[in-house]
Amino acid sequence: LASGAMRAAGLLLARALLVAWALLHPAGTQQCHPAGPATVLRFTDRHAEIRVPALHRVPSPLDPLYGLVRRCLDLIQQNPLPTELLRAALNDPGSVRTSQVVQYELGYVVCAAVALLFTVAVPVAGMCFCYCRSRRRCGGRLRAHRRSLGCRRHCLLACLSFTSLVILISVTCAFVTSQRVKGQMEPGLGAVPTTLRTLRQHLANVPQGVQMVVDKFEVPRKQIISDLGGLSRSVGLSIHTQLKAMTYAALSDLQDRAADLQTSLHHLQILDGTSRALAAARAELEPALRERRGRVVALLDDPRCTSCASALGRAHSLELGADYGKVPSVEKVLKAMAGLPRSDFAEMIRQGNGTFNSIPELAVERMAQVIQDLREELSHTAQKVQSIADSFPLPDYTRPASEALVTAEERSQPYLREVERFEHYRWIAGTVLCSIILLILACNVTGMALGAYGLSKREDPSDYECRGEAGAKFLLVGVGLAFLFSWLLILLVFATFLVGGNIQTLVCRNWVNQEIYKFIDTPGNLPPSMNLTRQLNLRRDSNLSATYRECKGGAGLWEVLQLDRSYDLDEHLKTPKYTADFQKRLGDFTAHLGDVRLLRSEGRQDLETFARSGLDEVDYGRFQEEMKNPVVQTSLPGLARNLEGLQKMQRNSTVAGRLGAEARALWQMQNSTVQSQEALVAKLGESVQFLSRLAPHLKERVKRTLATTASVEARLPVQAQQILRQEIGCFTRKELRYFTQYLNWVGQTLREDVASCQPLATALDNGRVILCDRIADPWNAFWFSLGCCTFFLIPNIIFAIRLTKHFRPIRNRLISTGSEETCPFHIPRVTALKL
């Protein structure tokens, strides 16, 4: 019983704590659910249909060669951009003096003088060599054999091999760079009209692109409509979830009080009926027990009864114990509780529980109209978003830029064709001359190989050896080709050098450091017909450099063009402009979703009557004290067993028979009367125990239950309204994020793609990459490599001519390698000389 009481007390304490927690932690304080990945909108990447792809310098194994050529050109042309000269050339070409050009191009003039000297000197030297060779004075034979000839021959072979290797490397670089120029020239030239056309199409497609961006409002609209479809049920479920602990705790407490009322009434009836039954049974048992005691005492006191004195004391104490006529009456409490419960608590609790559980469906019903209004509001918002496209001003102000691009495209075509034709001729001339250089190298290699092989097979220096003679002739053929074509090589080198060098130093170098932009931006440098600010309709307070920087930084076309009226995209993309009405409709919505009746007035009256019934005024201690006394003071089964034992000890059969009869009578009294009274006492004990445990806390529990129920009924509507406002606030912020995402995407897309002026900056950067990195660098590397070949032909000619003498037989030679002092009497023999 004690463990059961402790367990019940623990359950009551836990339930009380749950109710207290629900009351002290209002549901309205719950935070919004965190936004998941699904709240990030995904927009199809279908921005501008016309793009200008950005080109970049591609790393190449020839980059060290390109860097070397640029450093050489920086040394040749150290003058900065000739601002005054260019201004005069553009505005008044007749005023340009030759001395100004020569002064600026002084480095190139010096190079031209060197090239002219080379062009004249080398052919003249070649003609002189031919004349000397016809007179057998150049490229002939050695006249005498000396000990140092071998060392000299090896030195000449090494020098000629080295110059041939340098020429081979240079001509290989010339071939590669020439082919690279040819490979880059055609797409590079084609990129000019393509880029101009792309820019023009980009401007023309801006309205369609803006409309496409505006049409993408369908993405957030569909998402918001989808969220609206689940809003009402979500709000109802949230209210139900957050308030169910408090509500269920109150209903459970109310159910416990109703159970206490029913059970108390049941136990009071048992208490009253059992007390009366025990009092009546005692009255019936008393005469029978007195009579039985007299007979047992008389029998045990009989002299004929052997050893009966030991049981005589127990027989004398054979009398009644507990008297339940003395316990307090509970008739007053029963009268006070008569007719209870007047209300059906089970039905009342079921209805309250059902009403509370129907909140989600009730929310769907109450919020149907506002959700329909919000859907209609989204249609009005779509019309507001359409104003972004309707008020976009670009189509009226991009016409001058489009016309300028068309003019530039048409005027560039003839120049591009001329450049392409010149490049074709350059490639043919370069390929032919590089092939001739390879032929010279082939003559060198063949001549050195045959000459060296002939020397190894010749036993006597004066002997004729055809392979050595052939080697000498191959070397002379290479020399002749070098003399014959060197002037063409130097002319090609100078022509390409003059064009490529000026492109690098005059254009590319100043393009990289943006000196060209500064020149264009300076008023008066360009003639009025070339006013780019006016032709492109740029802002009057802007210039090409500023426009380039703004476009590079991602500015929109409307920010760099000269507009008659201001257009502020940020003003058009402010979220409140499109969400104010949406927010207002959600903010103004109210609905009563927490009107739940847990306890009706008749049920409250029943509980109040139960608390005032006096159940706690009954002295249950008197019952417990009386129940401690047995029904009979002496144990009837014990006395009966004593008599049965004495029966076996008797010698007198009459006494023994009487003892047995008395024992059986005692057993019958125990089984028929005493046991039934003991069962009633046990039943009475259960009721007393329940009532004694409940009574001290009855008023407090009923009072707390009534207060909790009233508090929950009063707080449910308030907290339901708080949760409703909170959920609507969370929903509003979530949907505003969709608007914000869309408007941010619109601004980013218009600035960076659809209506961006970044293609203009990209086109300028692409032009620099194509002209300087992809064409000028290999072009300059070509003439540099070809120039190395040309200038190394001079030592190649010298070494080849000197080496031919060593491959032919010597005219005169000494018989002995020793000196005349060591062989004074040696007589030389006559040998035939082959001239």
Side-chain angles (χ1 to χ4, degrees):
L1 291 176
S3 63
M6 293 178 64
R7 188 181 303 109
L11 291 174
L12 289 173
L13 178 61
R15 186 174 292 115
L17 290 175
L18 181 62
V19 174
W21 182 90
L23 293 174
L24 294 175
H25 294 78
T29 60
Q30 181 173 345
Q31 300 299 320
C32 296
H33 302 291
T39 60
V40 178
L41 298 178
R42 303 294 181 187
F43 298 98
T44 307
D45 189 14
R46 286 182 58 250
H47 303 167
E49 299 293 336
I50 307 300
R51 301 175 185 268
V52 179
L55 302 179
H56 302 282
R57 180 184 180 88
V58 180
S60 169
L62 295 174
D63 285 344
L65 177 60
Y66 298 159
L68 176 62
V69 176
R70 283 196 294 269
R71 286 191 291 273
C72 291
L73 287 172
D74 289 339
L75 290 175
I76 294 172
Q77 177 57 282
Q78 300 180 7
N79 297 323
L81 184 69
T83 306
E84 299 297 332
L85 185 61
L86 288 176
R87 181 189 298 117
L90 292 173
N91 291 276
D92 187 10
S95 65
V96 178
R97 296 190 302 273
T98 306
S99 59
Q100 293 177 311
V101 178
V102 171
Q103 183 180 358
Y104 178 75
E105 299 280 348
L106 185 59
Y108 294 99
V109 172
V110 173
C111 293
V114 173
L116 180 61
L117 178 63
F118 187 95
T119 305
V120 174
V122 175
V124 169
M127 288 187 290
C128 293
F129 174 75
C130 291
Y131 176 77
C132 293
R133 185 70 186 93
S134 66
R135 298 290 183 175
R136 297 185 178 181
R137 294 182 180 180
C138 296
R141 303 175 185 177
L142 294 174
R143 297 184 178 276
H145 179 72
R146 295 180 179 84
R147 298 175 65 182
S148 61
L149 289 179
C151 179
R152 188 180 302 174
R153 184 188 309 120
H154 289 105
C155 182
L156 291 172
L157 277 171
C159 291
L160 184 60
S161 299
F162 174 75
T163 55
S164 299
L165 179 61
V166 172
I167 293 173
L168 177 62
I169 295 173
S170 299
V171 77
T172 302
C173 292
F175 264 121
V176 172
T177 53
S178 177
Q179 193 62 33
R180 183 160 295 186
V181 171
K182 182 177 184 298
Q184 293 293 339
M185 185 66 74
E186 184 176 354
L189 296 177
V192 174
T194 301
T195 302
L196 294 174
R197 194 178 310 113
T198 301
L199 289 174
R200 184 160 44 82
Q201 292 174 352
H202 172 71
L203 296 176
N205 287 351
V206 167
Q208 294 88 335
V210 175
Q211 185 60 48
M212 181 275 298
V213 171
V214 169
D215 291 341
K216 287 300 176 182
F217 180 70
E218 190 68 15
V219 174
R221 193 182 74 85
K222 286 182 178 179
Q223 183 63 46
I224 294 172
I225 289 177
S226 174
D227 292 347
L228 283 173
L231 172 62
S232 55
R233 186 158 190 85
S234 174
V235 169
L237 289 175
S238 182
I239 294 173
H240 182 271
T241 301
Q242 296 183 46
L243 298 181
K244 66 180 180 182
M246 178 177 68
T247 305
Y248 289 166
L251 289 173
S252 177
D253 200 26
L254 180 61
Q255 187 175 14
D256 289 344
R257 297 293 80 74
D260 288 344
L261 173 60
Q262 294 281 1
T263 308
S264 297
L265 184 61
H266 172 69
H267 283 293
L268 282 172
Q269 292 171 349
I270 290 175
L271 195 66
D272 183 66
T274 304
S275 299
R276 293 176 183 276
L278 285 172
R282 187 178 190 282
E284 293 178 2
L285 182 60
E286 184 177 9
L289 186 62
R290 189 185 309 113
E291 179 186 356
R292 186 59 55 198
R293 182 183 62 186
R295 297 181 64 176
V296 172
V297 168
L299 178 60
L300 294 176
D301 201 29
D302 191 338
R304 293 175 297 175
C305 186
T306 304
S307 301
C308 292
S310 60
L312 187 60
R314 178 174 287 185
H316 278 295
S317 62
L318 190 65
E319 57 185 13
L320 292 175
D323 186 2
Y324 289 97
K326 301 177 182 179
V327 297
S329 175
V330 293
E331 290 182 1
K332 182 180 177 181
V333 180
L334 286 173
K335 184 180 292 185
M337 296 178 60
L340 296 182
R342 298 181 182 88
S343 57
D344 189 350
F345 281 95
E347 179 63 20
M348 191 185 310
I349 292 172
R350 188 189 65 79
Q351 290 180 359
N353 193 44
T355 303
F356 178 73
N357 290 335
S358 65
I359 286 179
E361 288 74 17
L362 183 63
V364 173
E365 177 184 346
R366 298 280 176 84
M367 297 184 69
Q369 183 59 45
V370 71
I371 289 177
Q372 180 62 32
D373 294 342
L374 290 173
R375 288 175 176 169
E376 295 176 358
E377 183 59 38
L378 282 177
S379 300
H380 298 154
T381 305
Q383 297 175 3
K384 295 178 183 178
V385 173
Q386 181 62 36
S387 66
I388 297 176
D390 295 340
S391 60
F392 208 71
L394 286 183
D396 298 332
Y397 298 95
T398 55
R399 190 174 299 107
S402 299
E403 293 174 354
L405 292 173
V406 171
T407 303
E409 182 181 352
E410 293 174 352
R411 291 182 178 179
S412 65
Q413 293 293 343
Y415 297 104
L416 295 176
R417 285 193 293 269
E418 288 298 321
V419 171
E420 187 174 3
R421 185 166 61 87
F422 176 77
E423 163 58 21
H424 181 66
Y425 294 150
R426 182 213 61 83
W427 180 80
I428 293 176
T431 303
V432 171
L433 292 177
C434 287
S435 301
I436 292 174
I437 293 175
L438 288 178
L439 183 58
I440 294 172
L441 291 176
C443 291
N444 286 350
V445 173
T446 305
M448 286 188 291
L450 291 176
Y453 185 67
L455 287 176
S456 65
K457 294 297 183 180
R458 191 167 61 187
E459 296 180 357
D460 193 293
S462 62
D463 290 342
Y464 176 80
E465 218 289 320
C466 63
R467 283 165 292 211
E469 186 68 24
K473 289 180 179 180
F474 269 107
L475 289 177
L476 290 177
V477 169
V479 170
L481 290 174
F483 278 128
L484 185 60
F485 292 101
S486 58
W487 66 278
L488 290 176
L489 285 169
I490 199 63
L491 288 179
L492 180 60
V493 168
F494 180 73
T496 52
F497 158 73
L498 189 62
V499 174
N502 276 290
I503 289 176
Q504 172 61 34
T505 58
L506 189 62
V507 179
C508 296
R509 187 170 64 188
N510 295 292
W511 199 338
V512 171
N513 57 28
Q514 297 191 359
E515 289 295 326
I516 289 182
Y517 296 148
K518 295 178 182 178
F519 175 80
I520 295 174
D521 294 336
T522 303
N525 284 348
L526 296 179
S529 60
M530 297 177 64
N531 190 335
L532 296 180
T533 302
R534 187 181 67 254
Q535 290 181 356
L536 296 177
N537 196 29
L538 301 179
R539 293 198 320 265
R540 292 190 180 93
D541 61 342
S542 181
N543 51 42
L544 187 60
S545 298
T547 302
Y548 172 78
R549 286 192 299 270
E550 291 179 17
C551 293
K552 191 79 172 176
L557 284 169
W558 65 93
E559 295 174 323
V560 300
L561 295 180
Q562 179 63 42
L563 305 181
D564 292 338
R565 63 182 184 279
S566 62
Y567 180 81
D568 188 356
L569 180 64
D570 294 331
E571 185 66 29
H572 285 273
L573 298 182
K574 286 184 177 179
T575 305
K577 182 177 180 180
Y578 306 98
T579 61
D581 294 338
F582 188 86
Q583 286 182 270
K584 188 175 185 303
R585 285 186 181 274
L586 281 173
D588 294 343
F589 173 74
T590 56
H592 300 286
L593 301 176
D595 297 335
V596 179
R597 192 67 181 273
L598 303 181
L599 182 62
R600 292 193 291 270
S601 59
E602 57 269 22
R604 182 177 296 275
Q605 292 175 2
D606 285 351
L607 292 180
E608 291 174 348
T609 302
F610 177 42
R612 296 193 304 265
S613 64
L615 183 67
D616 55 332
E617 299 174 358
V618 178
D619 187 2
Y620 298 103
R622 294 282 304 277
F623 284 95
Q624 293 171 348
E625 290 177 1
E626 203 64 41
M627 285 188 294
K628 292 178 182 177
N629 298 323
V631 177
V632 180
Q633 293 288 350
T634 300
S635 174
L636 293 181
L639 182 59
R641 283 191 289 271
N642 284 344
L643 293 178
E644 289 174 349
L646 291 173
Q647 180 185 2
K648 297 178 182 178
M649 299 172 59
Q650 302 301 317
R651 291 188 294 270
N652 189 323
S653 58
T654 303
V655 173
R658 290 178 61 189
L659 287 170
E662 291 300 328
R664 287 192 295 273
L666 290 173
W667 279 114
Q668 183 179 2
M669 182 178 291
Q670 171 69 27
N671 294 333
S672 62
T673 304
V674 175
Q675 281 188 357
S676 62
Q677 290 187 33
E678 290 177 346
L680 290 175
V681 171
K683 184 177 180 181
L684 180 66
E686 292 178 359
S687 298
V688 170
Q689 182 181 8
F690 174 81
L691 294 173
S692 63
R693 187 173 65 247
L694 175 66
H697 310 289
L698 176 61
K699 289 184 178 179
E700 179 185 352
R701 289 181 181 176
V702 171
K703 182 179 179 181
R704 186 183 68 245
T705 298
L706 293 176
T708 300
T709 305
S711 174
V712 170
E713 287 181 345
R715 292 173 65 90
L716 272 176
V718 177
Q719 293 193 4
Q721 190 67 22
Q722 290 177 356
I723 297 171
L724 173 66
R725 301 312 314 159
Q726 171 190 304
E727 291 296 319
I728 288 180
C730 291
F731 176 81
T732 303
R733 288 189 291 275
K734 179 182 177 183
E735 307 313 309
L736 289 183
R737 284 197 296 269
Y738 293 148
F739 280 104
T740 303
Q741 286 182 46
Y742 169 72
L743 294 175
N744 289 340
W745 175 80
V746 169
Q748 180 182 1
T749 304
L750 291 180
R751 282 192 173 92
E752 298 180 2
D753 202 341
V754 172
S756 172
C757 75
Q758 195 167 18
L760 175 61
T762 303
L764 292 174
D765 292 338
N766 290 351
R768 182 186 56 78
V769 171
I770 293 173
L771 178 62
C772 301
D773 297 339
R774 299 191 177 183
I775 295 179
D777 277 350
W779 176 289
N780 290 323
F782 166 74
W783 64 254
F784 186 83
S785 301
L786 196 61
C788 287
C789 296
T790 305
F791 283 104
F792 270 91
L793 283 179
I794 296 175
N796 180 82
I797 292 172
I798 297 172
F799 294 141
I801 293 173
R802 298 291 299 274
L803 191 58
T804 54
K805 297 181 179 181
H806 291 270
F807 293 157
R808 290 175 172 171
I810 300 174
R811 293 180 182 274
N812 299 310
R813 67 180 180 84
L814 296 174
I815 299 301
S816 174
T817 57
S819 65
E820 294 180 357
E821 288 78 10
T822 56
C823 300
F825 304 107
H826 182 76
I827 301 173
R829 65 186 178 90
V830 179
T831 58
L833 298 178
K834 186 176 181 180
L835 300 178

